Amino acid sequence: MIHINPTLTPSDLSAKLQRFWALSAQKIRLIEQHYDVANGSPVFTVKGQYTTRGWTEWTQGFQFGSAILQFDATGETDFLEYGRKNTITVMAPHVSHIGVHDHGFNNVSTYGNLLRLMHEGKIEFNEWEKNFYELALKISGAVQASRWTSIKNRDGGLGGFIHSFNGAHSLFVDTIRSCRALVVSHQLGHVFQGEGDVKINLLERALLHIKATADFSVFYGEGRDSYDLWGRTAHESVFNTKDGNFRCPNSQQGYTGFSTWTRGLAWAMCGFPEQLEALESISDGQLVPFGGREAVEAMMLKAARATCDFYIEHTPTNGIPYWDTGAPNLHKLGDYLNRPADPFNDHEPVDSSAAAIGAQGLLRLGNYLISKGDTESGKNYWQAGLTVLNALLEEPYLSTDPNHHGLLLHSIYHQPNGWDYVPEGSKIAYGESSMWGDYHIREAALYVQRMINKEPYYAFLNCVK
């Protein structure tokens, strides 16, 4: 269980953040100088050098988005120009990519961040540039929404979800972060049309996907199966596409469908609170067809609380989780939940990228609850988020080797497939980085730094004015 530091404040992290952004700048420049773009998007490191893995091109937005975040944090304009230039010249195929569920990752992290900075006055306003970013975001949300599977909800009503690259039967818990693309497109006023010019409501598809994730990907200790615990998640939920019925939980990157892959858990922890924040910008009238604001908020808040509670309860004391809470050799570590995680052990890897994503979820949920008057529980989540981030900003998780391309060490990509590099003499993977881990530690650091500096609150819908 995480030992939450109740006295830690954002300002306490100021010195660590200054060091962090200096290291971050070095890593971005290293990749720019040494990575061979002919190989495709950089995904994860092997022996400290970024390499690729031909599954899908889901990490390129994190590469260029990282440079944009670096500019946001430090004002160094060369990072802005690098991020902006590559967004314009490289990211267009991601806008029209019909084969993935990753539009929120790729396009909100690039076009969205650039548009946000323009609205915040951090980059010069240009009407045509604004229109360009808006058009990309409008189309991205519509393309993402087109990957649609209709299902039966648990209450018997009709629902649906954005299906993963596995096929129409497959709901990934990760995809809740791609709902940002649909919400942004909707809030920008985009009209998504299907056969016969039928208008398809992008907000409806986002909310139905979020509800499907809450209903099928998140467990609440209500007796669904023998492993039903408050807040555990399944990476994949499988449906019969003939009749729309749910069939079973499954996992692609976790150990089983009946254990909790911690990065999948973290995607939910981050996704639900940021969508709760987005609801503040959506009128009551638009939420009436979905049961009204109170019902929608209650659904999201239950899932956000549950997943964050599970993370706090089932993570070692320093806030860094092992890659799956049901990993088969965890028992060999003994009482591992009552001491800090050990990335150099002989039995199971940790996954720092899950911690980076989860920390942001804890912070956002805490801030949301405090803003709603639930100060006690909000403070608990907030302090948990600061505790996790504080640990990530130190060795052995922060990469200080000037020759290592990665920023956040001990990230795991695909443990079941054996894709992660195992150093010679070790029994487990450790010491490597991932593009999503590096991006999300930057995002969490920026989130806290903007609060320290009393800048506008960092939210994805800030790209819509």
Side-chain angles (χ1 to χ4, degrees):
M1 182 176 181
I2 299 176
H3 286 180
I4 298 171
N5 184 338
T7 62
L8 197 62
T9 68
S11 295
D12 292 335
L13 303 184
S14 292
K16 290 183 178 181
L17 289 170
Q18 185 174 2
R19 179 193 186 208
F20 169 85
W21 290 114
L23 288 167
S24 172
Q26 294 174 16
K27 307 301 184 179
I28 294 170
R29 291 189 173 111
L30 267 178
I31 297 167
E32 182 184 7
Q33 292 164 7
H34 298 292
Y35 182 75
D36 185 356
V37 296
N39 293 328
S41 303
V43 180
F44 65 131
T45 62
V46 173
K47 297 182 182 180
Q49 310 298 300
Y50 259 106
T51 185
T52 192
R53 167 66 67 171
W55 196 356
T56 68
E57 293 282 306
W58 72 286
T59 60
Q60 197 152 47
F62 295 146
Q63 179 186 5
F64 305 133
S66 286
I68 298 165
L69 296 183
Q70 183 75 24
F71 164 75
D72 193 348
T74 67
E76 297 167 282
T77 56
D78 56 324
F79 292 105
L80 170 64
E81 293 312 311
Y82 173 72
R84 179 159 51 188
K85 178 189 72 175
N86 283 288
T87 296
I88 293 169
T89 60
V90 178
M91 292 304 297
H94 298 287
V95 174
S96 60
H97 197 336
I98 64 171
V100 296
H101 54 270
D102 302 315
H103 281 247
F105 293 152
N106 270 316
N107 300 318
V108 177
S109 300
T110 48
Y111 299 99
N113 272 324
L114 288 166
L115 184 58
R116 172 181 62 81
L117 289 171
M118 186 173 287
H119 286 317
E120 291 174 353
K122 283 200 165 186
I123 62 177
E124 185 178 354
F125 181 83
N126 177 289
E127 186 73 28
W128 275 105
E129 188 177 351
K130 174 186 78 74
N131 292 342
F132 173 77
Y133 298 147
E134 285 187 349
L135 181 60
L137 290 163
K138 288 176 180 179
I139 303 308
S140 175
V143 170
Q144 186 69 107
S146 70
R147 292 185 63 80
W148 193 249
T149 297
S150 296
I151 61 169
K152 292 179 182 177
N153 286 330
R154 290 199 177 278
D155 59 11
L158 296 178
F161 62 87
I162 300 160
H163 56 260
S164 83
F165 56 65
N166 274 348
H169 63 286
S170 172
L171 166 63
F172 273 10
V173 69
D174 324 20
T175 311
I176 188 168
R177 274 220 102 189
S178 274
C179 288
R180 294 178 299 164
L182 279 69
V183 174
V184 167
S185 183
H186 171 81
Q187 290 296 89
L188 287 171
H190 186 55
V191 178
F192 176 37
Q193 296 186 123
E195 300 296 328
D197 292 343
V198 172
K199 293 179 175 59
I200 300 167
N201 188 311
L202 288 167
L203 178 63
E204 177 182 52
R205 290 215 162 168
L207 292 175
L208 288 178
H209 179 95
I210 293 166
K211 178 173 173 53
T213 303
D215 286 354
F216 297 102
S217 301
V218 183
F219 291 72
Y220 301 101
E222 297 170 350
R224 279 178 56 185
D225 59 37
S226 299
Y227 306 96
D228 185 354
L229 299 174
W230 171 257
R232 92 160 186 89
T233 57
H235 179 199
E236 184 179 38
S237 299
V238 176
F239 292 81
N240 182 329
T241 58
K242 296 287 188 180
D243 60 15
N245 281 310
F246 172 72
R247 299 309 305 152
C248 63
N250 189 34
S251 191
Q252 296 297 307
Q253 290 169 262
Y255 181 55
T256 75
F258 297 97
S259 64
T260 296
W261 175 50
T262 50
R263 192 162 83 245
L265 172 70
W267 291 130
M269 291 168 63
C270 187
F272 284 107
E274 68 182 358
Q275 291 296 340
L276 280 166
E277 294 172 347
L279 282 181
E280 301 292 303
S281 300
I282 296 169
S283 68
D284 289 348
Q286 294 182 79
L287 298 175
V288 169
F290 314 104
R293 180 174 298 278
E294 185 175 348
V296 174
E297 287 181 348
M299 174 267 291
M300 292 188 192
L301 186 56
K302 181 181 179 181
R305 283 182 178 272
T307 51
C308 287
D309 288 347
F310 184 91
Y311 187 90
I312 292 169
E313 185 71 24
H314 295 270
T315 297
T317 56
N318 61 347
I320 317 299
Y322 291 89
W323 71 280
D324 193 295
T325 62
N329 292 312
L330 279 178
H331 68 95
K332 295 179 181 178
L333 292 172
D335 192 15
Y336 64 92
L337 288 178
N338 285 316
R339 61 175 183 267
D342 176 12
F344 309 107
N345 74 84
D346 287 335
H347 303 294
E348 295 289 357
V350 304
D351 186 2
S352 61
S353 71
I357 300 160
Q360 187 179 163
L362 290 163
L363 290 165
R364 289 189 184 277
L365 177 58
N367 183 74
Y368 176 83
L369 289 171
I370 291 169
S371 74
K372 296 296 183 182
D374 189 353
T375 305
E376 183 176 354
S377 60
K379 182 77 170 175
N380 189 62
Y381 295 121
W382 175 259
Q383 294 303 135
L386 288 178
T387 300
V388 176
L389 181 58
N390 187 49
L392 292 174
L393 293 174
E394 299 175 341
E395 292 89 338
Y397 298 101
L398 191 61
S399 173
T400 58
D401 180 350
N403 297 313
H404 197 297
H405 289 183
L407 180 61
L408 181 66
L409 299 177
H410 314 306
S411 177
I412 291 294
Y413 187 13
H414 204 314
Q415 172 74 5
N417 275 2
W419 287 354
D420 298 276
Y421 177 70
V422 178
E424 186 176 352
S426 176
K427 296 180 180 179
I428 67 164
Y430 72 83
E432 302 298 340
S433 303
S434 64
M435 194 54 64
W436 62 90
D438 288 359
Y439 177 85
H440 282 87
I441 185 64
R442 289 182 176 106
E443 202 170 56
L446 179 65
Y447 177 90
V448 171
Q449 179 169 302
R450 286 170 69 102
M451 286 199 158
I452 295 170
N453 295 340
K454 295 182 170 51
E455 295 182 76
Y457 186 79
Y458 176 50
F460 75 88
L461 260 189
N462 286 6
C463 68
V464 179
K465 190 168 184 179

